mmCIF file of all heavy atoms in Angstrom:
data_model
loop_
_atom_site.group_PDB
_atom_site.id
_atom_site.type_symbol
_atom_site.label_atom_id
_atom_site.label_comp_id
_atom_site.label_asym_id
_atom_site.label_seq_id
_atom_site.Cartn_x
_atom_site.Cartn_y
_atom_site.Cartn_z
ATOM 1 N N LYS A 1265 156.652 76.005 128.146
ATOM 2 C CA LYS A 1265 155.601 77.077 128.248
ATOM 3 C C LYS A 1265 155.588 77.538 129.746
ATOM 4 O O LYS A 1265 155.462 78.696 129.998
ATOM 5 C CB LYS A 1265 154.220 76.440 127.859
ATOM 6 C CG LYS A 1265 154.007 76.303 126.287
ATOM 7 C CD LYS A 1265 152.697 75.890 125.934
ATOM 8 C CE LYS A 1265 152.473 74.425 126.021
ATOM 9 N NZ LYS A 1265 151.184 73.969 125.433
ATOM 10 N N GLY A 1302 140.284 84.885 149.561
ATOM 11 C CA GLY A 1302 140.972 83.640 149.121
ATOM 12 C C GLY A 1302 141.156 83.508 147.811
ATOM 13 O O GLY A 1302 141.815 82.512 147.248
ATOM 14 N N TRP A 1303 140.862 84.515 146.925
ATOM 15 C CA TRP A 1303 141.287 84.426 145.486
ATOM 16 C C TRP A 1303 142.697 84.430 145.326
ATOM 17 O O TRP A 1303 143.285 83.612 144.483
ATOM 18 C CB TRP A 1303 140.738 85.536 144.662
ATOM 19 C CG TRP A 1303 139.166 85.738 144.552
ATOM 20 C CD1 TRP A 1303 138.377 86.741 145.032
ATOM 21 C CD2 TRP A 1303 138.257 84.726 144.023
ATOM 22 N NE1 TRP A 1303 137.137 86.490 144.709
ATOM 23 C CE2 TRP A 1303 137.001 85.296 144.151
ATOM 24 C CE3 TRP A 1303 138.446 83.488 143.434
ATOM 25 C CZ2 TRP A 1303 135.886 84.622 143.694
ATOM 26 C CZ3 TRP A 1303 137.370 82.785 143.054
ATOM 27 C CH2 TRP A 1303 136.022 83.387 143.170
ATOM 28 N N GLU A 1312 151.938 83.842 143.199
ATOM 29 C CA GLU A 1312 150.709 84.742 143.312
ATOM 30 C C GLU A 1312 150.607 85.754 142.133
ATOM 31 O O GLU A 1312 149.502 86.084 141.629
ATOM 32 C CB GLU A 1312 150.850 85.644 144.568
ATOM 33 C CG GLU A 1312 150.720 84.757 145.874
ATOM 34 C CD GLU A 1312 149.378 83.997 146.126
ATOM 35 O OE1 GLU A 1312 148.461 84.353 145.289
ATOM 36 O OE2 GLU A 1312 149.292 83.170 146.979
ATOM 37 N N HIS A 1323 139.177 86.929 133.367
ATOM 38 C CA HIS A 1323 138.106 87.808 133.562
ATOM 39 C C HIS A 1323 137.696 88.582 132.347
ATOM 40 O O HIS A 1323 136.461 88.782 132.096
ATOM 41 C CB HIS A 1323 138.347 88.904 134.617
ATOM 42 C CG HIS A 1323 138.292 88.326 136.099
ATOM 43 N ND1 HIS A 1323 138.517 89.139 137.122
ATOM 44 C CD2 HIS A 1323 137.866 87.179 136.521
ATOM 45 C CE1 HIS A 1323 138.249 88.391 138.253
ATOM 46 N NE2 HIS A 1323 137.905 87.199 137.911
ATOM 47 N N ASP A 1354 140.960 81.073 120.945
ATOM 48 C CA ASP A 1354 140.156 79.975 121.313
ATOM 49 C C ASP A 1354 138.656 80.186 121.325
ATOM 50 O O ASP A 1354 137.873 79.419 120.803
ATOM 51 C CB ASP A 1354 140.605 79.464 122.727
ATOM 52 C CG ASP A 1354 141.929 78.865 122.778
ATOM 53 O OD1 ASP A 1354 142.395 78.444 121.634
ATOM 54 O OD2 ASP A 1354 142.519 78.735 123.879
ATOM 55 N N PRO A 1373 130.554 85.978 124.689
ATOM 56 C CA PRO A 1373 130.270 84.576 124.407
ATOM 57 C C PRO A 1373 130.152 83.684 125.771
ATOM 58 O O PRO A 1373 129.350 82.932 125.936
ATOM 59 C CB PRO A 1373 131.403 84.036 123.673
ATOM 60 C CG PRO A 1373 131.956 85.182 122.927
ATOM 61 C CD PRO A 1373 131.828 86.365 123.820
ATOM 62 N N ARG A 1376 126.799 83.531 127.442
ATOM 63 C CA ARG A 1376 125.641 82.892 126.840
ATOM 64 C C ARG A 1376 126.059 81.519 126.464
ATOM 65 O O ARG A 1376 127.228 81.064 126.696
ATOM 66 C CB ARG A 1376 125.166 83.611 125.614
ATOM 67 C CG ARG A 1376 126.258 84.251 124.654
ATOM 68 C CD ARG A 1376 125.680 85.142 123.632
ATOM 69 N NE ARG A 1376 126.771 85.886 122.953
ATOM 70 C CZ ARG A 1376 127.475 85.416 121.929
ATOM 71 N NH1 ARG A 1376 127.213 84.203 121.479
ATOM 72 N NH2 ARG A 1376 128.446 86.183 121.458
ATOM 73 N N TYR A 1377 125.275 80.676 125.835
ATOM 74 C CA TYR A 1377 125.558 79.354 125.448
ATOM 75 C C TYR A 1377 124.796 78.961 124.206
ATOM 76 O O TYR A 1377 123.926 79.603 123.747
ATOM 77 C CB TYR A 1377 125.145 78.331 126.510
ATOM 78 C CG TYR A 1377 123.709 78.220 126.866
ATOM 79 C CD1 TYR A 1377 122.953 77.353 126.119
ATOM 80 C CD2 TYR A 1377 123.133 79.016 127.783
ATOM 81 C CE1 TYR A 1377 121.603 77.237 126.293
ATOM 82 C CE2 TYR A 1377 121.757 78.956 128.067
ATOM 83 C CZ TYR A 1377 121.032 78.036 127.362
ATOM 84 O OH TYR A 1377 119.648 77.927 127.632
ATOM 85 N N ASP A 1381 127.112 73.497 121.233
ATOM 86 C CA ASP A 1381 128.620 73.815 121.596
ATOM 87 C C ASP A 1381 129.505 72.556 121.485
ATOM 88 O O ASP A 1381 128.905 71.382 121.558
ATOM 89 C CB ASP A 1381 128.743 74.428 122.942
ATOM 90 C CG ASP A 1381 128.474 75.835 122.977
ATOM 91 O OD1 ASP A 1381 128.535 76.521 121.952
ATOM 92 O OD2 ASP A 1381 128.142 76.459 124.055
ATOM 93 N N MET A 1382 130.725 72.725 121.119
ATOM 94 C CA MET A 1382 131.623 71.572 120.994
ATOM 95 C C MET A 1382 131.557 70.811 122.280
ATOM 96 O O MET A 1382 131.607 71.304 123.387
ATOM 97 C CB MET A 1382 133.024 72.119 120.728
ATOM 98 C CG MET A 1382 133.918 70.994 120.311
ATOM 99 S SD MET A 1382 135.332 71.634 119.559
ATOM 100 C CE MET A 1382 136.466 71.826 120.956
ATOM 101 N N GLU A 1383 131.539 69.454 122.014
ATOM 102 C CA GLU A 1383 131.455 68.613 123.166
ATOM 103 C C GLU A 1383 132.845 67.909 123.405
ATOM 104 O O GLU A 1383 133.260 67.104 122.580
ATOM 105 C CB GLU A 1383 130.362 67.511 123.015
ATOM 106 C CG GLU A 1383 130.036 66.643 124.220
ATOM 107 C CD GLU A 1383 129.857 67.633 125.544
ATOM 108 O OE1 GLU A 1383 128.770 68.178 125.523
ATOM 109 O OE2 GLU A 1383 130.727 67.717 126.329
ATOM 110 N N GLU A 1384 133.489 68.178 124.567
ATOM 111 C CA GLU A 1384 134.815 67.516 124.840
ATOM 112 C C GLU A 1384 134.803 66.737 126.082
ATOM 113 O O GLU A 1384 135.702 66.131 126.439
ATOM 114 C CB GLU A 1384 135.860 68.689 124.895
ATOM 115 C CG GLU A 1384 136.709 68.740 123.653
ATOM 116 C CD GLU A 1384 137.790 69.938 123.939
ATOM 117 O OE1 GLU A 1384 138.240 70.207 125.063
ATOM 118 O OE2 GLU A 1384 138.270 70.445 122.968
ATOM 119 N N PHE A 1385 133.674 66.861 126.838
ATOM 120 C CA PHE A 1385 133.609 66.338 128.186
ATOM 121 C C PHE A 1385 132.762 65.135 128.420
ATOM 122 O O PHE A 1385 132.429 64.690 129.471
ATOM 123 C CB PHE A 1385 133.198 67.403 129.231
ATOM 124 C CG PHE A 1385 133.926 68.782 129.031
ATOM 125 C CD1 PHE A 1385 133.367 69.921 129.117
ATOM 126 C CD2 PHE A 1385 135.329 68.602 128.901
ATOM 127 C CE1 PHE A 1385 134.141 71.077 129.014
ATOM 128 C CE2 PHE A 1385 136.162 69.768 128.658
ATOM 129 C CZ PHE A 1385 135.493 70.998 128.761
ATOM 130 N N PRO C 1523 136.289 78.870 137.309
ATOM 131 C CA PRO C 1523 137.580 78.540 136.793
ATOM 132 C C PRO C 1523 138.719 78.996 137.618
ATOM 133 O O PRO C 1523 139.783 78.318 137.737
ATOM 134 C CB PRO C 1523 137.601 79.111 135.386
ATOM 135 C CG PRO C 1523 136.210 79.151 135.022
ATOM 136 C CD PRO C 1523 135.405 79.516 136.246
ATOM 137 N N GLN C 1524 138.490 80.087 138.389
ATOM 138 C CA GLN C 1524 139.622 80.603 139.175
ATOM 139 C C GLN C 1524 139.917 79.586 140.349
ATOM 140 O O GLN C 1524 140.990 79.480 140.823
ATOM 141 C CB GLN C 1524 139.197 81.868 139.923
ATOM 142 C CG GLN C 1524 139.190 83.080 138.786
ATOM 143 C CD GLN C 1524 138.302 84.219 139.296
ATOM 144 O OE1 GLN C 1524 137.445 84.687 138.638
ATOM 145 N NE2 GLN C 1524 138.565 84.694 140.499
ATOM 146 N N ARG C 1528 143.598 78.467 141.467
ATOM 147 C CA ARG C 1528 144.037 78.507 142.863
ATOM 148 C C ARG C 1528 144.419 77.090 143.408
ATOM 149 O O ARG C 1528 145.380 76.994 144.119
ATOM 150 C CB ARG C 1528 142.664 78.955 143.633
ATOM 151 C CG ARG C 1528 142.981 79.472 145.068
ATOM 152 C CD ARG C 1528 143.821 80.743 145.098
ATOM 153 N NE ARG C 1528 144.160 81.130 146.462
ATOM 154 C CZ ARG C 1528 145.272 81.742 146.704
ATOM 155 N NH1 ARG C 1528 146.039 82.101 145.722
ATOM 156 N NH2 ARG C 1528 145.558 82.146 147.970
ATOM 157 N N GLN C 1531 147.765 76.242 142.168
ATOM 158 C CA GLN C 1531 148.742 77.056 142.869
ATOM 159 C C GLN C 1531 148.972 76.712 144.357
ATOM 160 O O GLN C 1531 150.100 76.645 144.860
ATOM 161 C CB GLN C 1531 148.269 78.543 142.875
ATOM 162 C CG GLN C 1531 149.305 79.509 143.274
ATOM 163 C CD GLN C 1531 148.915 80.303 144.487
ATOM 164 O OE1 GLN C 1531 147.756 80.120 144.943
ATOM 165 N NE2 GLN C 1531 149.940 80.848 145.285
ATOM 166 N N THR C 1551 120.076 75.047 132.696
ATOM 167 C CA THR C 1551 121.073 75.532 131.753
ATOM 168 C C THR C 1551 122.482 75.615 132.352
ATOM 169 O O THR C 1551 123.409 76.006 131.702
ATOM 170 C CB THR C 1551 120.667 76.973 131.346
ATOM 171 O OG1 THR C 1551 120.622 77.698 132.562
ATOM 172 C CG2 THR C 1551 119.334 76.964 130.657
ATOM 173 N N ARG C 1557 130.243 74.169 130.326
ATOM 174 C CA ARG C 1557 130.950 73.638 129.175
ATOM 175 C C ARG C 1557 131.762 74.713 128.412
ATOM 176 O O ARG C 1557 132.924 74.628 128.127
ATOM 177 C CB ARG C 1557 129.828 73.115 128.206
ATOM 178 C CG ARG C 1557 130.442 72.654 126.863
ATOM 179 C CD ARG C 1557 129.528 71.639 126.158
ATOM 180 N NE ARG C 1557 128.196 72.298 125.792
ATOM 181 C CZ ARG C 1557 127.184 71.646 125.270
ATOM 182 N NH1 ARG C 1557 127.252 70.252 125.047
ATOM 183 N NH2 ARG C 1557 126.065 72.183 125.036
ATOM 184 N N ARG C 1558 131.157 75.945 128.287
ATOM 185 C CA ARG C 1558 131.947 76.930 127.623
ATOM 186 C C ARG C 1558 133.130 77.460 128.472
ATOM 187 O O ARG C 1558 134.237 77.565 128.003
ATOM 188 C CB ARG C 1558 131.020 78.180 127.404
ATOM 189 C CG ARG C 1558 130.059 78.025 126.131
ATOM 190 C CD ARG C 1558 129.716 79.257 125.593
ATOM 191 N NE ARG C 1558 129.104 78.971 124.164
ATOM 192 C CZ ARG C 1558 128.674 79.939 123.296
ATOM 193 N NH1 ARG C 1558 128.810 81.174 123.631
ATOM 194 N NH2 ARG C 1558 128.236 79.576 122.143
ATOM 195 N N ARG C 1559 132.859 77.662 129.837
ATOM 196 C CA ARG C 1559 133.855 78.173 130.682
ATOM 197 C C ARG C 1559 135.089 77.277 130.599
ATOM 198 O O ARG C 1559 136.242 77.665 130.523
ATOM 199 C CB ARG C 1559 133.396 78.312 131.967
ATOM 200 C CG ARG C 1559 132.350 79.298 132.337
ATOM 201 C CD ARG C 1559 131.617 79.274 133.538
ATOM 202 N NE ARG C 1559 130.502 80.207 133.744
ATOM 203 C CZ ARG C 1559 129.602 80.101 134.632
ATOM 204 N NH1 ARG C 1559 129.611 79.093 135.465
ATOM 205 N NH2 ARG C 1559 128.534 81.018 134.692
ATOM 206 N N ARG C 1565 142.144 75.156 127.812
ATOM 207 C CA ARG C 1565 143.162 75.522 126.806
ATOM 208 C C ARG C 1565 144.097 76.469 127.522
ATOM 209 O O ARG C 1565 145.327 76.519 127.261
ATOM 210 C CB ARG C 1565 142.469 76.161 125.576
ATOM 211 C CG ARG C 1565 141.802 74.999 124.756
ATOM 212 C CD ARG C 1565 140.757 75.583 123.760
ATOM 213 N NE ARG C 1565 140.253 74.642 122.908
ATOM 214 C CZ ARG C 1565 139.507 73.525 123.220
ATOM 215 N NH1 ARG C 1565 139.246 73.406 124.478
ATOM 216 N NH2 ARG C 1565 139.065 72.647 122.323
ATOM 217 N N GLU C 1568 146.629 74.687 129.542
ATOM 218 C CA GLU C 1568 147.593 73.929 128.779
ATOM 219 C C GLU C 1568 148.632 75.090 128.205
ATOM 220 O O GLU C 1568 149.910 74.820 128.088
ATOM 221 C CB GLU C 1568 146.950 73.248 127.568
ATOM 222 C CG GLU C 1568 146.617 71.901 127.869
ATOM 223 C CD GLU C 1568 145.526 71.359 126.895
ATOM 224 O OE1 GLU C 1568 145.725 71.534 125.677
ATOM 225 O OE2 GLU C 1568 144.450 70.909 127.316
ATOM 226 N N PHE C 1569 148.098 76.285 127.937
ATOM 227 C CA PHE C 1569 148.897 77.286 127.318
ATOM 228 C C PHE C 1569 150.051 77.764 128.261
ATOM 229 O O PHE C 1569 151.067 78.152 127.916
ATOM 230 C CB PHE C 1569 148.011 78.486 126.893
ATOM 231 C CG PHE C 1569 148.719 79.560 126.092
ATOM 232 C CD1 PHE C 1569 149.162 79.421 124.899
ATOM 233 C CD2 PHE C 1569 148.897 80.870 126.592
ATOM 234 C CE1 PHE C 1569 149.867 80.305 124.089
ATOM 235 C CE2 PHE C 1569 149.521 81.879 125.929
ATOM 236 C CZ PHE C 1569 149.877 81.550 124.624
ATOM 237 N N ILE C 1570 149.690 77.654 129.624
ATOM 238 C CA ILE C 1570 150.706 78.222 130.556
ATOM 239 C C ILE C 1570 151.558 77.013 131.079
ATOM 240 O O ILE C 1570 152.261 77.160 132.066
ATOM 241 C CB ILE C 1570 150.105 78.902 131.723
ATOM 242 C CG1 ILE C 1570 149.074 78.049 132.424
ATOM 243 C CG2 ILE C 1570 149.338 80.159 131.210
ATOM 244 C CD1 ILE C 1570 148.924 78.319 133.966
ATOM 245 N N GLY C 1571 151.373 75.866 130.451
ATOM 246 C CA GLY C 1571 152.355 74.732 130.819
ATOM 247 C C GLY C 1571 151.816 73.663 131.700
ATOM 248 O O GLY C 1571 152.675 72.874 132.139
ATOM 249 N N TRP C 1581 131.127 64.902 132.095
ATOM 250 C CA TRP C 1581 129.723 64.712 132.507
ATOM 251 C C TRP C 1581 129.431 63.360 133.006
ATOM 252 O O TRP C 1581 129.634 62.304 132.328
ATOM 253 C CB TRP C 1581 128.902 64.974 131.204
ATOM 254 C CG TRP C 1581 129.127 66.243 130.453
ATOM 255 C CD1 TRP C 1581 129.250 66.286 129.090
ATOM 256 C CD2 TRP C 1581 129.413 67.557 130.974
ATOM 257 N NE1 TRP C 1581 129.486 67.616 128.642
ATOM 258 C CE2 TRP C 1581 129.551 68.445 129.794
ATOM 259 C CE3 TRP C 1581 129.209 68.206 132.175
ATOM 260 C CZ2 TRP C 1581 129.726 69.825 129.967
ATOM 261 C CZ3 TRP C 1581 129.474 69.485 132.380
ATOM 262 C CH2 TRP C 1581 129.754 70.372 131.232
ATOM 263 N N LYS C 1609 154.232 73.413 138.908
ATOM 264 C CA LYS C 1609 154.112 74.766 138.268
ATOM 265 C C LYS C 1609 153.100 75.630 138.951
ATOM 266 O O LYS C 1609 152.274 74.961 139.856
ATOM 267 C CB LYS C 1609 153.515 74.619 136.738
ATOM 268 C CG LYS C 1609 154.442 73.529 135.984
ATOM 269 C CD LYS C 1609 153.975 73.459 134.652
ATOM 270 C CE LYS C 1609 154.857 72.445 133.818
ATOM 271 N NZ LYS C 1609 154.657 71.134 134.369
#
Side-chain angles (χ1 to χ4, degrees):
Chain A
K1265 286 189 272 191
W1303 293 124
E1312 292 296 351
H1323 277 182
D1354 287 345
R1376 45 188 165 86
Y1377 64 87
D1381 275 339
M1382 191 161 88
E1383 189 50 75
E1384 257 181 24
F1385 306 139
Chain C
Q1524 289 159 235
R1528 195 66 186 153
Q1531 192 245 347
T1551 58
R1557 177 160 60 184
R1558 282 208 163 183
R1559 291 168 186 161
R1565 286 162 172 70
E1568 271 159 50
F1569 189 65
I1570 55 148
W1581 308 133
K1609 304 182 180 73

